[in-house]
């Protein structure tokens, strides 16, 4: 029963994000809005980690499954990708480096904040 409550919490946040995305005067992905809402709710302690822990773990354990549709789409457009392999490679490498750098900086910032709070 607990997992159903967790699913309801996550899906409610996603539904709210869809609504917010629809009423915004500009295009913005509802998935990003949902992540920001969840972050805010966790930060404000409206939702606690334990409230979504089981379902989140289930999603993380099966994350590879969610990449299957993207992989199929890449294979469908393989001929196009073959003609543009160099730009794809450059974009992939640059974006991967940006993700690594951003993640490193964010983790370092969070560790410094945690240290300050501990003192």
């Amino acid at each position: 029963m607990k997992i159903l409550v967790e699913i309801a919490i996550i899906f409610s946040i996603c539904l709210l994000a869809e609504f917010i995305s629809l009423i915004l005067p500009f295009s913005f992905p509802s998935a990003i809005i949902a992540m920001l809402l969840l972050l805010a709710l966790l930060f404000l302690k409206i939702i606690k980690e334990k409230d979504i822990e089981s379902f989140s773990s289930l999603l993380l354990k099966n994350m590879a499954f969610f990449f299957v549709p993207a992989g199929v789409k890449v294979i469908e457009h393989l001929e196009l990708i073959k003609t543009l392999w160099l730009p794809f490679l450059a974009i992939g490498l640059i974006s991967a480096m940006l993700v690594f750098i951003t993640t490193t900086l964010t983790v370092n910032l969070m560790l410094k904040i945690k240290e300050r709070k501990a003192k």
Side-chain angles (χ1 to χ4, degrees):
M1 187 65 173
K2 183 180 184 303
I3 192 110
L4 292 177
V5 172
E6 293 180 20
I7 292 170
I9 290 169
I10 299 290
F11 283 170
S12 298
I13 292 169
C14 291
L15 186 61
L16 179 60
E18 285 288 339
F19 176 72
I20 292 170
S21 179
L22 285 174
I23 63 172
L24 285 176
F26 51 88
S27 180
F28 200 81
S30 60
I32 303 296
I33 296 170
M35 287 189 283
L36 292 173
L37 284 172
L38 182 59
L39 177 66
L41 291 170
L42 286 167
F43 185 72
L44 296 170
K45 297 190 186 333
I46 295 170
I47 294 177
K48 294 171 183 58
E49 282 182 54
K50 66 178 177 67
D51 295 336
I52 57 170
E53 189 173 32
S54 298
F55 187 60
S56 299
S57 294
L58 177 75
L59 290 174
L60 285 172
K61 287 177 187 171
N62 296 296
M63 190 181 288
F65 174 74
F66 299 113
F67 287 98
V68 170
V72 169
K73 218 40 157 168
V74 167
I75 291 171
E76 283 180 8
H77 298 286
L78 200 54
E79 290 304 315
L80 176 63
I81 293 171
K82 282 181 184 177
T83 62
L84 299 168
W85 70 270
L86 190 58
F88 275 105
L89 181 65
I91 290 168
L93 290 174
I94 291 168
S95 62
M97 287 172 39
L98 287 173
V99 168
F100 292 145
I101 291 167
T102 305
T103 303
T104 301
L105 293 173
T106 303
V107 169
N108 286 336
L109 177 65
M110 290 296 125
L111 289 172
K112 286 178 185 177
I113 291 172
K114 190 175 178 181
E115 265 180 33
R116 284 185 192 160
K117 282 188 176 184
K119 291 180 183 179

